[in-house]
């Protein structure tokens, strides 16, 4: 089949064979399939979805588009990945904690996708932090300090690198086959032994219902294990931001606070849950209670914070230097009542409007802007109470404060 025929078959809901999937993915990676054909294919997959064998073939084709890393340390190599959330800084907190627990963490992360933030964009708010490492550099950072958070090198799952950026700007992100292929291709190519996936549902997630999140989690676990990586998944709630901070520099600040023993409880709790399950899956700890204690001890004795500083230094940055934060503008409630709903994706989109994310491929990111979101669902508030602080350029403040104010629903119960 030629590429147009492959697109046509998927558009019409037919099951593709592995060879056709391999052909279009390999062609996209080597440049012979242009963006416009891949956009059409991604949209066809978005509408028609894929069967399990197609998703396995898609993931495999994306892995095979580049090289695969292997790790020869005696320690298991592990990783965690989220399906995308707002205020989700767990990777930045968890990677150094894990690296203090007899595992290695070669963590391949992504950039902002739709309204959800990207770990790499957040880390780049640390002046000097290089997210783009060669395979050899990535390996030597992991060997030296036990963890590295970097982008997939140009040689690792290059099909995902291109497709991820394309999906971000073609409204083709919330598709189970495309999410599974994207996440697992880079994780499996990075050669990890065990992987925990944080599958989010709710207003700030790509999966809006818990049922869809369960379907995504099942598919991730099935395909990951079929392709030889011990894969587990947890479902988590994304109907409100994780922690208080949403953006880039502000999320690094909040991650540091958690590692200092402060910071929001929800961030610490989810970090411990995902980390403990992963240590058990990797065979490093016998049960979750022991694993949780061990992880908590890395916060209590300061070793995880030291480890994060070490990793940042290995990437060319300095964690002790304050990060730039734009001017703060308060958002206050225009009525009294109970917070009944938060349109969390709108908060992510507000950060993009401020310049903290991308509207099209290659847009520059202003790391200094973001939101401190001060209220939770179920909280009683009075007219005039602070809902949030918005950090952005003066001229964007009216738009940003309106967007954030409009993202919450206030009711009587
Ligand atoms: N994270 C990824 O790496 N890819 C997706 O498609 C969604 C979240």
């Amino acid at each position: 089949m030629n590429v147009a025929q492959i697109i046509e078959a998927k558009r019409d809901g037919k099951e593709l064979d592995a060879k056709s999937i391999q052909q279009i993915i390999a062609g996209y990676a080597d440049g012979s399939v242009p963006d416009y054909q891949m956009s059409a294919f991604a949209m066809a997959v978005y509408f028609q979805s894929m069967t399990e064998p197609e998703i396995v073939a898609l993931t495999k084709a994306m892995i095979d588009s580049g090289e695969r890393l292997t790790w020869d340390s005696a320690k298991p190599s592990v990783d965690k990945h989220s399906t995308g959330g707002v205020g989700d800084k767990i990777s930045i907190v968890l990677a150094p904690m894990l690296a203090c627990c007899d595992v290695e963490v070669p963590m391949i992360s992504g950039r902002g996708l739709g309204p959800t933030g990207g770990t790499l964009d957040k880390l780049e708010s640390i002046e000097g932090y290089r997210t783009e490492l060669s395979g050899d550099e990535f390996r030597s950072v992991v060997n030296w300090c036990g963890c590295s958070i970097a982008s997939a090198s140009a040689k690792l799952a290059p099909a995902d690198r291109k497709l991820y950026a394309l999906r971000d700007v073609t409204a083709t992100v919330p598709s189970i086959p495309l999410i599974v292929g994207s996440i697992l291709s880079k994780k499996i190519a990075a050669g990890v032994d065990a992987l925990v996936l944080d599958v989010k549902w709710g207003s700030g997630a790509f999966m809006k219902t818990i049922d869809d999140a369960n379907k995504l989690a099942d598919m991730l676990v099935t395909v990951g294990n079929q392709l030889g990586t011990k894969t587990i998944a947890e479902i988590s709630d994304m109907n409100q931001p994780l922690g208080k901070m949403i953006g880039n520099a502000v999320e690094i600040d909040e991650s540091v606070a958690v590692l200092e023993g402060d910071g929001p409880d929800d961030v610490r709790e989810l970090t411990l849950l995902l980390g403990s399950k992963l240590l058990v899956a990797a065979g490093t700890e016998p049960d979750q209670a022991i694993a949780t204690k061990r992880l908590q001890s890395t916060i209590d004795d300061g070793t995880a914070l030291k480890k994060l500083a070490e990793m940042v230094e290995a990437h060319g940055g300095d964690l002790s230097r304050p990060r730039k934060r734009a001017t703060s503008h308060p958002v206050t409630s225009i009525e009294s009542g109970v917070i009944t709903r938060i349109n969390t994706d709108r908060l992510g989109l507000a950060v993009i409007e401020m310049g903290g994310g991308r509207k099209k491929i290659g847009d520059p990111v202003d790391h200094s802007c973001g939101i401190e979101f001060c209220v939770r669902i179920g909280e009683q508030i009075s007219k005039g109470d602070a809902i949030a602080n918005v950090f952005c350029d003066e001229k964007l403040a009216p738009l940003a404060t309106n967007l954030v104010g409009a993202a919450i629903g206030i009711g009587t119960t």
Side-chain angles (χ1 to χ4, degrees), residues 68-403:
R68 278 174 93 134
L69 301 181
T70 51
W71 302 91
D72 42 21
S73 154
K75 294 179 183 175
S77 57
V78 301
D79 199 355
K80 166 260 158 195
H81 200 79
S82 143
T83 56
V86 174
D88 182 1
K89 67 262 320 156
I90 302 288
S91 294
I92 298 156
V93 182
L94 183 57
M97 288 168 71
L98 288 168
C100 298
C101 294
D102 290 328
V103 288
E104 291 198 327
V105 194
M107 189 177 274
I108 300 290
S109 289
R111 301 197 174 274
L113 194 62
T116 70
T119 301
L120 298 179
D121 295 323
K122 294 169 199 180
L123 285 166
E124 283 175 356
S125 67
I126 303 172
E127 210 181 306
Y129 191 103
R130 286 174 54 224
T131 53
E132 310 269 333
L133 302 184
S134 69
D136 284 347
E137 285 175 314
F138 183 52
R139 184 181 297 284
S140 71
V141 175
V142 174
N143 287 342
W144 182 65
C145 72
C147 57
S148 172
I149 308 180
S151 83
S153 77
K155 293 186 184 149
L156 207 72
D160 178 58
R161 195 185 177 88
K162 286 183 80 178
L163 187 50
Y164 189 92
L166 188 74
R167 287 167 57 219
D168 188 26
V169 291
T170 55
T172 51
V173 173
S175 149
I176 288 181
L178 297 178
I179 295 176
V180 172
S182 167
I183 292 179
L184 291 182
S185 61
K186 49 191 176 254
K187 298 296 169 179
I188 295 173
V192 291
D193 299 312
L195 172 64
V196 64
L197 296 161
D198 176 11
V199 180
K200 299 197 177 289
W201 74 277
S203 63
F206 297 126
M207 299 297 117
K208 297 298 176 202
T209 66
I210 199 160
D211 277 359
D212 281 346
N214 273 313
K215 279 187 207 141
L216 174 58
D218 285 349
M219 192 55 79
L220 282 162
V221 169
T222 304
V223 176
N225 285 300
Q226 247 186 68
L227 293 176
T229 298
K230 170 120 186 129
T231 307
I232 55 171
E234 268 303 304
I235 308 285
S236 71
D237 187 310
M238 188 26 79
N239 285 295
Q240 50 194 340
L242 194 49
K244 283 187 164 184
M245 297 299 192
I246 310 163
N248 296 301
V250 290
E251 288 201 41
I252 297 290
D253 293 348
E254 193 166 66
S255 305
V256 169
V258 173
L259 291 177
E260 284 170 343
D262 297 323
D265 289 345
D266 61 343
V267 177
R268 193 191 59 256
E269 282 159 14
L270 185 56
T271 305
L272 289 172
L273 175 71
L274 295 167
S276 58
K277 292 221 158 178
L278 185 54
L279 288 179
V280 175
T284 310
E285 295 298 343
D287 66 47
Q288 228 188 306
I290 295 176
T292 305
K293 262 197 185 154
R294 181 147 191 215
L295 285 162
Q296 178 65 49
S297 75
T298 70
I299 296 181
D300 298 341
D301 65 13
T303 49
L305 181 59
K306 239 172 99 191
K307 184 62 75 185
L308 178 64
E310 235 172 73
M311 182 190 83
V312 167
E313 189 187 336
H315 279 256
D318 179 354
L319 193 64
S320 68
R321 286 185 66 176
R323 288 156 288 281
K324 261 214 249 151
R325 193 179 285 190
T327 313
S328 174
H329 309 274
V331 184
T332 53
S333 177
I334 50 167
E335 54 185 320
S336 300
V338 175
I339 310 268
T340 51
R341 126 190 98 68
I342 298 172
N343 288 341
T344 313
D345 48 357
R346 302 259 182 91
L347 298 174
L349 293 172
V351 174
I352 295 176
E353 284 301 328
M354 293 177 220
R358 297 175 190 81
K359 290 186 183 167
K360 53 183 188 332
I361 293 176
D363 275 353
V365 168
D366 177 354
H367 298 100
S368 70
C369 55
I371 302 169
E372 179 185 19
F373 195 72
C374 310
V375 292
R376 311 288 294 166
I377 291 176
E379 202 172 312
Q380 182 84 42
I381 53 168
S382 303
K383 187 173 172 184
D385 278 355
I387 298 171
N389 288 303
V390 166
F391 307 104
C392 65
D393 195 280
E394 207 68 48
K395 58 182 184 299
L396 293 172
L399 171 68
T401 50
N402 277 341
L403 288 172

Side-chain angles (χ1 to χ4, degrees), residues 9-87:
K10 191 34 63 191
R11 181 201 66 193
D12 296 344
K14 303 210 170 93
E15 184 174 25
L16 298 174
D17 57 20
K19 200 167 149 233
S20 304
I21 293 172
Q22 167 71 27
Q23 184 186 337
I24 191 163
I25 296 296
Y28 188 52
D30 72 22
S32 56
V33 172
D35 279 345
Y36 55 80
Q37 282 188 311
M38 195 40 119
S39 305
F41 181 71
M43 193 57 86
V45 172
Y46 173 87
F47 280 115
Q48 297 291 359
S49 195
M50 281 181 150
T51 61
E52 185 186 309
E54 282 179 300
I55 300 175
V56 171
L58 175 73
T59 309
K60 214 171 156 306
M62 290 172 75
I63 297 168
D64 292 345
S65 69
E67 65 182 24
R68 278 174 93 134
L69 301 181
T70 51
W71 302 91
D72 42 21
S73 154
K75 294 179 183 175
S77 57
V78 301
D79 199 355
K80 166 260 158 195
H81 200 79
S82 143
T83 56
V86 174

